[in-house]
Amino acid sequence: MSKDDLAKEGFLDPIISTASCQLLSQGAEARVWSGEFLGRPVILKQRFKKKYRHPVLDKHLNHSRLKQEVRSLLKARKLGIPTPVLYDVELEASTIYMERIAGCSVKELLKKGMSPADRHSLGRKIGQLLATMHDGSLVHGDLTTSNMLVRSDSQDLVMIDFGLSSISGLAEDKAVDLYVLERAFNSAHATSVDMYDAVLEAYKQHSRQWCPTLNKLADVRMRGRKRVMVG
Ligand SMILES: Nc1ncnc2c1ncn2[C@@H]1O[C@H](COP(=O)(O)OP(=O)(O)O)[C@@H](O)[C@H]1O
Ligand SMILES: [Mg+2]
């Protein structure tokens, strides 16, 4: 995308011109670019303007979501959840700069095919991380297999995309988080349901509050099913 195209959409170009970067993904709220920053591989995540929103409201929403994402990224790190290192935040260009993780998403790994043993151990890693995150009152808000990366060197699991996350100690909110992941496994990875079982098994072992959360998960599932039946 050229500088002129960006200007047309009312962007401020970030410090690193996106013209020198490669567009990795275009979501509903943000574009993700891959580039270099001080000689390091970097990811730029830029929230774009929504033309249908009033400009003042749009700027306000953009800024508050960006701040929420940064806050949660840092909170996760404090809790010991591996996340990309935050390099910089540029509010006026609504851009976050972070470490680019060399590796694959869990979604890609599943697509390529994994052995049952590898699925089990990765599922357990996911469950353990979620237990730590939820015990620290951090709810991710968008737990999908695209938002979990595995480093190609150390095989460490890294959580990304805290754009919809929130701080909550409520079992209900944590259960919804788990339910979103359950749906992702059931729909996109029909052959990997065993992996989600490993997630729950490890979650139960590591979360101090697993009991109220898993009870709520049963309620949330029921509601989900009713919604599907009613349409
Ligand atoms: N730090 C990162 N390192 C490597 N890849 C990343 C990183 N952050 C995002 N990506 C890639 O870009 C995609 C979209 O980023 P994400 O933060 O999930 O944005 P969205 O809110 O649009 O889903 C991810 O699924 C992943 O493939
Ligand atoms: Mg994402």
Side-chain angles (χ1 to χ4, degrees):
M1 191 170 282
S2 74
K3 235 179 168 155
D4 287 348
D5 290 335
L6 288 168
K8 245 184 262 163
E9 292 190 20
F11 272 115
L12 269 177
D13 207 27
I15 315 171
I16 312 175
S17 166
T18 46
S20 67
C21 299
Q22 197 193 341
L23 185 66
L24 281 189
S25 100
Q26 153 102 52
E29 295 257 321
R31 291 196 182 93
V32 174
W33 310 81
S34 168
E36 296 254 318
F37 183 51
L38 305 174
R40 286 171 196 249
V42 71
I43 289 282
L44 274 73
K45 185 168 180 179
Q46 182 175 48
R47 278 167 195 284
F48 44 80
K49 295 191 176 175
K50 301 263 183 153
K51 292 199 187 87
Y52 58 82
R53 283 199 296 238
H54 186 280
V56 176
L57 174 69
D58 186 65
K59 192 170 176 178
H60 178 77
L61 278 176
N62 241 338
H63 284 184
S64 70
R65 293 199 178 142
L66 178 108
K67 283 187 210 158
Q68 184 54 37
E69 178 159 9
V70 169
R71 239 179 251 133
S72 302
L73 199 62
L74 295 175
K75 168 141 180 129
R77 197 151 252 276
K78 251 186 219 163
L79 291 171
I81 309 288
T83 52
V85 176
L86 184 68
Y87 289 154
D88 203 355
V89 179
E90 219 186 327
L91 201 58
E92 282 311 315
S94 47
T95 303
I96 300 177
Y97 297 81
M98 65 185 122
E99 170 195 10
R100 190 196 322 147
I101 307 292
C104 275
S105 67
V106 171
K107 184 178 189 165
E108 288 162 340
L109 288 174
L110 281 169
K111 225 188 248 169
K112 278 190 214 159
M114 294 174 76
S115 73
D118 285 347
R119 283 207 299 265
H120 185 78
S121 77
L122 185 55
R124 286 198 55 94
K125 265 191 209 170
I126 296 173
Q128 184 170 357
L129 274 198
L130 296 184
T132 309
M133 203 163 84
H134 284 174
D135 280 7
S137 297
L138 181 60
V139 170
H140 185 279
D142 191 16
L143 280 181
T144 63
T145 46
S146 314
N147 289 335
M148 300 171 185
L149 307 179
V150 175
R151 283 188 197 270
S152 46
D153 51 1
S154 60
Q155 301 297 303
D156 279 348
L157 185 65
V158 180
M159 300 294 278
I160 61 163
D161 197 0
F162 289 82
L164 293 173
S165 63
S166 54
I167 306 298
S168 168
L170 295 178
E172 166 88 23
D173 293 337
K174 297 172 188 175
V176 170
D177 228 13
L178 291 175
Y179 185 63
V180 169
L181 185 63
E182 183 169 307
R183 292 289 297 257
F185 270 110
N186 283 339
S187 57
H189 316 288
T191 53
S192 317
V193 176
D194 59 338
M195 191 159 158
Y196 185 70
D197 292 340
V199 173
L200 287 187
E201 179 191 285
Y203 187 90
K204 211 168 151 176
Q205 245 167 33
H206 293 279
S207 169
R208 271 174 276 121
Q209 290 126 18
W210 66 270
C211 189
T213 304
L214 294 190
N215 280 339
K216 277 282 175 200
L217 178 59
D219 292 350
V220 175
R221 270 189 200 128
M222 287 282 279
R223 262 186 272 150
R225 246 174 246 139
K226 269 190 209 141
R227 208 173 300 138
V228 171
M229 279 194 293
V230 175

